[in-house]
Amino acid sequence: MNKPAVVSFLITLLLAAAVCIQAGEPVKETVGNDLKTDQQYYIQPVNTNFPGGGLVPAPPTLGSLCPLGIVQTAIAFIPGVPVSFSFPNSTMKTTISTDDYVNIEFKSKFWLCDKLSKFWKVDESSPATEEPSILVGGTKQEQNSWFKIEKAGERAGANTYKLTSFAGLIGTKPGALRIPRLVLTNDKAKTLLVIFKKFDEATITTSTSRVEKLGLRMFPFY
């Protein structure tokens, strides 16, 4: 083998090794199964220091309705509103990895902002001086609706993850009634850490029953 061929072969090996090193790993839900595009999941915060439950769509301020923002529900035993994950472009792949960009979509049966989609997005209309809110009403092919799920560590035996977008890190800040709401942030101290729990119809039925017994059926979501 001549010298140019050897050099070319070594470069190919180095590039292949770099691809292997940078390749993502499958995102795991709470019991260790891979996150799949054909399933639904609750996204539940683990580090907001707020005694609430999972993530739900809700008005971003007390004086507005649409577009809806995304907050942590104030009731601890409510798991949230389930979401599904999909890829922005057509693919046969169903397992979500830490290097994938995905769309996140609420699967709520109740939807007051019927002119807007249920896809998450970064609010690009926010003033430059503010931390943009994460809203619903996104579009699959628009980059402000693309999110990554990156591994952050472990807690109580389950993998924890952080969410990022093309524009940066997803964190939380106190909203109405001090309830954590999702924003785009440069402050790592505000990073939102989450776990993914597979949606179970029995779980949501039990939670709904408990809420109705307490007279706490909230507007417009649990």
Side-chain angles (χ1 to χ4, degrees), residues 22-28 35 43 46 85 96-102 104 146-154 158-170 184 188 191-196:
Q22 295 176 5
E25 61 182 76
V27 177
K28 302 290 185 178
L35 219 65
I43 303 180
V46 296
F85 301 95
I96 297 165
S97 298
T98 53
D99 59 348
D100 290 324
Y101 276 106
V102 295
I104 306 174
W146 295 7
F147 297 89
K148 269 188 179 181
I149 304 169
E150 300 183 12
K151 191 172 180 179
E154 292 187 5
N159 289 335
T160 62
Y161 296 90
K162 62 182 179 180
L163 304 176
T164 61
S165 74
F166 261 101
L169 181 67
I170 307 304
L184 184 72
K188 292 184 178 180
T191 302
L192 173 68
L193 300 182
V194 300
I195 56 174
F196 302 98

Side-chain angles (χ1 to χ4, degrees), residues 43 55 70 104 106 118-121 135 145 147 163 182:
I43 303 180
L55 298 183
I70 301 167
I104 306 174
F106 279 120
K118 301 175 185 179
F119 287 107
W120 293 23
K121 70 174 183 178
L135 305 175
S145 290
F147 297 89
L163 304 176
L182 271 59

Side-chain angles (χ1 to χ4, degrees), residues 67-137:
L68 296 167
I70 301 167
V71 305
Q72 182 179 8
T73 177
I75 302 179
F77 58 75
I78 298 300
V81 170
V83 304
S84 66
F85 301 95
S86 58
F87 296 106
N89 302 305
S90 298
T91 177
M92 297 296 290
K93 182 179 177 180
T94 59
T95 298
I96 297 165
S97 298
T98 53
D99 59 348
D100 290 324
Y101 276 106
V102 295
N103 302 120
I104 306 174
E105 181 183 17
F106 279 120
K107 307 305 288 186
S108 174
K109 297 177 182 178
F110 308 97
W111 204 248
L112 297 182
C113 301
D114 55 0
K115 293 183 179 180
L116 298 175
S117 78
K118 301 175 185 179
F119 287 107
W120 293 23
K121 70 174 183 178
V122 177
D123 181 13
E124 294 182 331
S125 67
S126 296
T129 56
E130 293 185 5
E131 293 175 313
S133 294
I134 308 302
L135 305 175
V136 296

